[in-house]
């Protein structure tokens, strides 16, 4: 009896368990060192078609880029966010049902307005067909904010509004 727990412990440590099957080793290859400055922004790809990829970038101004299938830059245009002497705020770009949409917001004294505009896929020029989607009144101490999200299958687009508390006492 005295050696019975010791025998169980030795039996336990002699068993070999594996959590997963051994995998194939992976070889890593590194290209030449790329030195980027602190202010370098990498473009965010938001859509693609048979001609290449569409990316949103920022270099002190919002821009849209067209990249070929090898990720070489074909075209780049800065987005014009001033309409009728009013500045709009960039919300995002979305490639949905073979059309590129630009979402912008305009902040007024008592409301926030959400606009959408289409962009030509070949020239990357804004078409000037901006439409007001939604205007949300600001409540006392609250400010409206907008967002959008594509479904996983890219067949539905959700545009939403939320209220953010500006006053910490609320």
């Amino acid at each position: 009896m005295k050696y019975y727990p010791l025998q169980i412990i030795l039996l336990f440590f002699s068993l070999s368990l594996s959590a997963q099957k051994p995998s194939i080793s992976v070889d890593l290859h590194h290209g030449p060192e790329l030195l980027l400055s602190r202010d370098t922004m990498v473009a965010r790809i938001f859509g693609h078609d048979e001609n290449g990829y569409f990316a949103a970038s920022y270099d002190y101004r919002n821009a849209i880029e067209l990249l070929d299938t090898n990720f070489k830059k074909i075209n780049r245009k800065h987005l014009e966010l001033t309409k009728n002497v009013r500045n709009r705020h960039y919300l995002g770009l979305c490639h949905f049902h073979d059309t590129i949409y630009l979402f912008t917001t305009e902040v007024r004294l008592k409301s926030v307005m959400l606009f959408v505009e289409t962009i030509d896929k070949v020239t990357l020029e804004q078409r000037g067909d901006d439409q007001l989607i939604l205007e949300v009144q600001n409540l006392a101490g609250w400010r409206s904010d907008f967002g959008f999200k594509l479904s996983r299958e890219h067949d539905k687009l959700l545009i939403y509004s939320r209220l953010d508390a500006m006053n910490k006492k609320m």
Side-chain angles (χ1 to χ4, degrees), residues 1-17:
M1 278 318 263
K2 185 171 152 181
Y3 297 108
Y4 186 66
L6 182 61
Q7 291 173 350
I8 293 175
I9 291 173
L10 288 175
L11 179 65
F12 179 73
F13 284 118
S14 65
L15 296 175
S16 175
L17 298 176

Side-chain angles (χ1 to χ4, degrees), residues 67-144:
L67 309 171
D68 65 5
T69 54
N70 294 322
F71 297 102
K72 302 292 183 201
K73 192 184 310 182
I74 297 174
N75 195 0
R76 176 189 176 95
K77 292 286 183 183
H78 285 99
L79 300 173
E80 183 60 44
L81 298 178
T82 305
K83 301 286 181 176
N84 299 331
V85 193
R86 290 191 172 267
N87 289 329
R88 293 191 181 163
H89 302 281
Y90 172 82
L91 186 62
L93 289 163
C94 178
H95 185 241
F96 182 64
H97 286 282
D98 208 36
T99 306
I100 298 176
Y101 295 99
L102 167 65
F103 292 97
T104 56
T105 59
E106 187 176 303
V107 178
R108 298 276 176 102
L109 186 61
K110 295 186 178 186
S111 66
V112 179
M113 301 187 309
L114 175 67
F115 290 90
V116 66
E117 183 177 2
T118 59
I119 294 178
D120 186 81
K121 289 174 66 172
V122 177
T123 64
L124 302 182
E125 295 285 338
Q126 293 169 251
R127 292 190 175 145
D129 58 349
D130 50 333
Q131 297 176 359
L132 175 67
I133 294 180
L134 185 62
E135 181 175 3
V136 177
Q137 300 296 321
N138 293 333
L139 301 174
W142 297 80
R143 188 190 68 169
S144 180

Side-chain angles (χ1 to χ4, degrees), residues 91-92 103 105 114 133-134 144-150 157-162:
L91 186 62
F103 292 97
T105 59
L114 175 67
I133 294 180
L134 185 62
S144 180
D145 190 18
F146 298 103
F148 63 93
K149 185 75 175 163
L150 273 173
L157 176 65
L158 173 69
I159 300 171
Y160 58 89
S161 171
R162 63 178 180 228

Side-chain angles (χ1 to χ4, degrees), residues 41-56:
M41 298 290 290
V42 178
R44 184 185 65 84
I45 295 175
F46 65 88
H48 64 88
D49 64 3
E50 63 276 354
N51 297 326
Y53 299 93
F54 300 102

